[in-house]
Amino acid sequence: MVPFPDSAPAPLSAMSAPQRLLRLLALVCTLALLIGGASYTTFRVSQAMGLAELQATGRHRLDLYATSLEREIDKYAYFPTTLGLERDVLDLLARDARDTPLAKRVSLYLEQLNERAGTLSIYVLDTRGTVLATSNWRRPDSFLGEDLSFRPYFREALETGSSRFFGIGTTRGEPGYYLASALANAQGTVGVAVVKVSLEQLEKSWATVEAPALVADENGVVILASVPDWKFTTLRPLDETTRHTFDRTQQYNRRALNPLGVKEIAPLDHGAQLVRLPRVGPETVSVFPVTGKFLAQAQPLPGTPWNLTVFSHVEQVREMAANRAALAGIGAVLVFIVLFMFNERRRHLRDRLAAREALQRAHDELERKVEARTAALSAANARLQAEVAERIRAERTLRAAQDELVQAGKLAVIGQLAAGIAHELNQPLAALRTLSGNAGKFLDRGDLPTVRGNLGRIAQLVDRMGTLTGQLKSFARKSSGRPQPVVLQQAIDNALALLEQRLRQSGARVEQTLPSADLVALCDPNRLEQVLVNLIGNALDAMAGQDAPRLELTAEQAGALLRLRVRDHGPGLSDEVRAHLFEPFFTTKEAGVGLGLGLPISAGIVHDFGGTLAGDNHPEGGAVFTLEIPAADEIRHD
Ligand code: ADP
């Protein structure tokens, strides 16, 4: 078996173009060698086997044909001898009674015998070779009285007692087989009896045989053949002496005796030969092939000097061998395909295994990297967490500081409000003093209704003072800064209430323009109030000294935001003020009046709500502060 070129380590896909071409070439060569080897070997073996088979068949045929021929001839073998039992025949020969009634009687007897036996002719000759009686005595071409001493069978019969001879009749040119026997009486040989047998019947049956056959006599002349063209041809060339003898004995009645032209190709075992048979004439019709390459097998016919040759057609062996060779070729292709596929599969599996291993390696590598990264990440994460915790701590601290700042800012406002509030509380306190003093006097007088009236008034004043301190307390408390829904109007009202004394003192007019009382912001109510107190306080500061200060508060909903504007009619913001408006500790006010923390704290609070605070000049004069804070979804309906 030719090995497959499977040692290439790289998979087909990974091969370069020349490598692929080389592999393809190797495959094609292997396939060609495989097909060629298998076909050639099968052809040779098959042909040898076929020839051996053909030889066996040929031998069988040879035996068969020989037996039938022998049987045909043997039928008449004792015919001439039995004539010696006839008294008339012996008398005729002994007396040499030519043209006598005895001769006629014997001829008549021979005629009847000939008819019965179906032979060509039967006749007796005296020892000189003259025909004394013959079965064809009636026919014009009868050889009665003819001298046939030149015929070899006559002489041989006289010499040896019997003879067998093939020849062509001299008178009618009819080929036949002559069986001759010497006849003798007590005195010795008196003559020769001859029976001429036709082998025509046998020849006819031969015409249909599968394998052509011929019988050649001792001279190599074909005397019997299944192919009519072959008759009276020679298997070997005749020399001059032989031809001369034939002329003399008229054995073949001067036939041309051309060579048959059998060409020997190669000798085989058991005396067989491969030969080429010549073309036959167009008049020869045969179902089976009679020309071409044949296996020739010959054997002598027992009891005769003849040879029987049977020709078996070799073409069928060649055809069968060729068919088997083709089948072997196809088989080789199939085997090649199976082996190729097996090999491809093996390669494929090996490639897959290699790929899997590579994948596993890559996977392991990846896993290692992932582990390393994870470790790095968790370290980074821990660092980040620490940082975040640190930030949160810082933010909390900042937030606390901011809250403190907001609170400080608020306390600063309260400080600013303190004088007004003290003034606000002084009045009711003085009234309380007067009313309680009067109440005692009226009690002494027994004027109880007036006392009751005074006490009612006292209660009202206490309530008013309580409200005021309550508002202040609520403003001063530390708020969480957590957003919640805040009714804007409420926040504005609370801020205005805290500034009530200042508003009254300045004589400022507050104009509120709110589309509805339903605007609800999302913020810390306490801090919103702180922002509003700051903005309104600043506006009042800006308008201090004006005759009719006017404060305008407008609010509107702008999408998800509430926009609140606080506008005054003061001097507005100078460029410098605008540049530093929200900077801590920036103030234009006198020391002790302003700290410069109001706006930065307010902006920080608004920013915490998720809103913005901006200050600008109004086109028509005065400053306007715009506060935008998120609106709560919930709408108030009371
Ligand atoms: P303070 O009121 O303590 O000065 P603020 O931060 O509230 O601190 O204000 C900073 C400065 O902004 C004020 O000193 C003032 O000059 C200016 N300002 C604030 N509001 C107004 C306003 N309505 N009109 C004119 N100037 C203003």
Side-chain angles (χ1 to χ4, degrees):
M1 185 64 56
V2 183
F4 275 85
D6 64 344
S7 51
L12 200 61
S13 54
M15 284 182 181
S16 64
Q19 266 180 322
R20 266 208 295 271
L21 200 72
L22 219 65
R23 185 164 186 265
L24 197 71
L25 212 69
L27 280 177
V28 169
C29 286
T30 309
L31 182 62
L33 272 173
L34 213 61
I35 295 174
S39 302
Y40 180 74
T41 313
T42 310
F43 184 79
R44 293 311 298 247
V45 170
S46 195
Q47 200 177 34
M49 277 166 61
L51 271 179
E53 233 171 79
L54 204 65
Q55 280 199 52
T57 315
R59 269 198 299 279
H60 180 68
R61 279 190 189 130
L62 209 53
D63 286 344
L64 202 73
Y65 293 177
T67 313
S68 64
L69 202 62
E70 226 179 299
R71 209 181 302 130
E72 190 69 16
I73 293 165
D74 281 353
K75 268 202 302 198
Y76 307 100
Y78 300 102
F79 234 79
T81 323
T82 48
L83 284 180
L85 301 174
E86 278 300 320
R87 179 124 307 273
D88 281 352
V89 174
L90 288 178
D91 281 353
L92 177 67
L93 293 173
R95 284 193 238 145
D96 192 10
R98 218 178 295 189
D99 300 326
T100 59
L102 175 63
K104 196 175 176 187
R105 210 167 52 243
V106 171
S107 284
L108 212 62
Y109 167 69
L110 294 179
E111 185 183 26
Q112 283 170 356
L113 197 64
N114 186 48
E115 248 170 54
R116 294 261 172 85
T119 49
L120 283 179
S121 55
I122 305 173
Y123 48 97
V124 289
L125 306 111
D126 61 18
T127 47
R128 290 184 305 276
T130 313
V131 180
L132 295 185
T134 171
S135 59
N136 56 12
W137 64 280
R138 275 185 226 269
R139 299 229 302 252
D141 56 357
S142 160
F143 36 74
L144 189 65
E146 266 184 38
D147 177 13
L148 296 179
S149 57
F150 63 92
R151 289 297 227 174
Y153 57 84
F154 168 71
R155 260 183 260 142
E156 199 184 324
L158 276 187
E159 280 163 22
T160 62
S162 71
S163 173
R164 285 182 177 191
F165 173 79
F166 179 84
I168 298 171
T170 45
T171 42
R172 294 178 69 190
E174 204 170 34
Y177 185 46
Y178 295 82
L179 299 162
S181 257
L183 301 179
N185 59 13
Q187 282 74 43
T189 304
V190 287
V192 174
V194 183
V195 175
K196 186 179 176 186
V197 181
S198 166
L199 296 177
E200 209 175 307
Q201 204 56 38
L202 190 74
E203 218 170 25
K204 270 183 193 157
S205 73
W206 270 21
T208 57
V209 292
E210 206 174 315
L214 61 82
V215 175
D217 65 7
E218 65 276 20
N219 301 312
V221 176
V222 178
I223 54 171
L224 206 61
S226 63
V227 180
D229 274 16
W230 293 354
K231 266 176 81 177
F232 304 110
T233 58
T234 57
L235 293 183
R236 51 180 187 267
L238 298 174
D239 56 25
E240 269 314 301
T241 335
T242 321
R243 279 192 183 277
H244 195 69
T245 314
F246 289 168
D247 284 348
R248 191 166 41 78
T249 58
Q250 292 180 29
Q251 186 174 353
Y252 305 106
N253 203 12
R254 296 193 173 80
R255 293 265 179 141
L257 303 181
N258 291 320
L260 174 57
V262 177
K263 277 201 190 77
E264 286 178 21
I265 298 173
L268 297 172
D269 307 341
H270 310 295
Q273 272 184 333
L274 269 183
V275 297
R276 187 172 294 285
L277 291 182
R279 290 191 171 282
V280 291
E283 64 276 2
T284 303
V285 183
S286 174
V287 189
F288 302 102
V290 291
T291 60
K293 213 170 168 188
F294 282 82
L295 170 77
Q297 287 165 295
Q299 80 172 38
L301 277 174
T304 69
W306 304 344
N307 262 308
L308 171 67
T309 309
V310 172
F311 298 98
S312 306
H313 201 208
V314 175
E315 199 54 39
Q316 62 193 34
V317 172
R318 219 191 63 79
E319 264 172 30
M320 194 171 283
N323 285 347
R324 285 184 185 160
L327 274 176
I330 293 169
V333 171
L334 286 177
V335 167
F336 178 83
I337 289 172
V338 167
L339 286 178
F340 179 76
M341 278 169 69
F342 177 72
N343 193 49
E344 278 304 298
R345 201 177 143 63
R346 211 158 53 96
R347 282 166 58 95
H348 180 66
L349 282 177
R350 200 182 50 201
D351 289 352
R352 255 178 52 181
L353 211 67
R356 196 178 295 166
E357 274 169 13
L359 203 70
Q360 186 62 45
R361 275 200 300 280
H363 178 260
D364 291 348
E365 176 66 11
L366 203 69
E367 216 156 61
R368 204 181 51 71
K369 278 188 183 163
V370 166
E371 267 170 28
R373 288 265 161 89
T374 311
L377 263 177
S378 37
N381 196 28
R383 270 201 308 279
L384 205 70
Q385 270 180 359
E387 251 170 53
V388 166
E390 184 58 34
R391 277 247 173 113
I392 288 171
R393 255 199 312 282
E395 221 155 76
R396 274 203 198 124
T397 314
L398 196 69
R399 165 76 46 203
Q402 257 179 3
D403 286 353
E404 285 306 316
L405 196 66
V406 169
Q407 194 60 20
K410 208 187 295 182
L411 292 178
V413 171
I414 291 171
Q416 283 171 352
L417 294 175
I421 289 163
H423 177 76
E424 198 73 357
L425 291 175
N426 263 345
Q427 253 191 335
L429 278 173
L432 278 177
R433 178 82 191 89
T434 313
L435 284 171
S436 59
N438 287 347
K441 283 177 194 162
F442 285 122
L443 201 63
D444 292 342
R445 281 184 209 159
D447 187 356
L448 288 176
T450 310
V451 173
R452 191 170 294 114
N454 276 6
L455 285 174
R457 184 90 178 99
I458 287 168
Q460 276 179 359
L461 284 170
V462 169
D463 280 350
R464 201 178 141 221
M465 285 166 71
T467 306
L468 191 63
T469 52
Q471 275 175 341
L472 203 62
K473 196 176 147 201
S474 134
F475 182 69
R477 92 181 141 80
K478 229 180 186 178
S479 67
S480 68
R482 219 169 289 124
Q484 64 187 81
V486 177
V487 178
L488 194 59
Q489 185 65 69
Q490 193 83 56
I492 293 171
D493 289 348
N494 284 349
L496 289 174
L498 279 169
L499 293 163
E500 193 186 346
Q501 204 273 332
R502 280 195 66 190
L503 283 166
R504 204 176 330 116
Q505 221 176 26
S506 63
R509 194 161 53 124
V510 180
E511 291 173 10
Q512 288 190 49
T513 318
L514 265 72
S516 79
D518 291 339
L519 296 180
V520 182
L522 191 67
C523 59
D524 178 310
N526 182 263
R527 294 197 175 180
L528 179 60
E529 276 169 35
Q530 186 178 345
V531 173
L532 291 176
V533 167
N534 261 324
L535 294 178
I536 296 167
N538 278 350
L540 292 177
D541 282 344
M543 296 188 293
Q546 283 188 2
D547 288 341
R550 215 165 87 225
L551 184 72
E552 289 166 31
L553 298 174
T554 55
E556 61 186 0
Q557 177 124 21
L561 296 171
L562 291 188
R563 192 176 295 130
L564 176 70
R565 286 199 182 90
V566 179
R567 188 218 163 167
D568 60 53
H569 288 265
L573 309 173
S574 68
D575 286 345
E576 210 224 327
V577 170
R578 269 172 59 180
H580 307 286
L581 201 56
F582 293 100
E583 279 177 19
F585 305 109
F586 173 77
T587 179
T588 54
K589 293 171 192 170
E590 285 168 31
V593 180
L595 280 170
L597 283 173
L599 284 179
I601 288 173
S602 297
I605 290 171
V606 175
H607 189 259
D608 278 355
F609 295 161
T612 55
L613 176 64
D616 210 343
N617 285 322
H618 195 275
E620 290 163 17
V624 60
F625 282 82
T626 308
L627 175 71
E628 282 185 342
I629 45 173
D633 290 338
E634 170 190 328
I635 304 290
R636 214 170 63 108
H637 294 289
D638 55 18

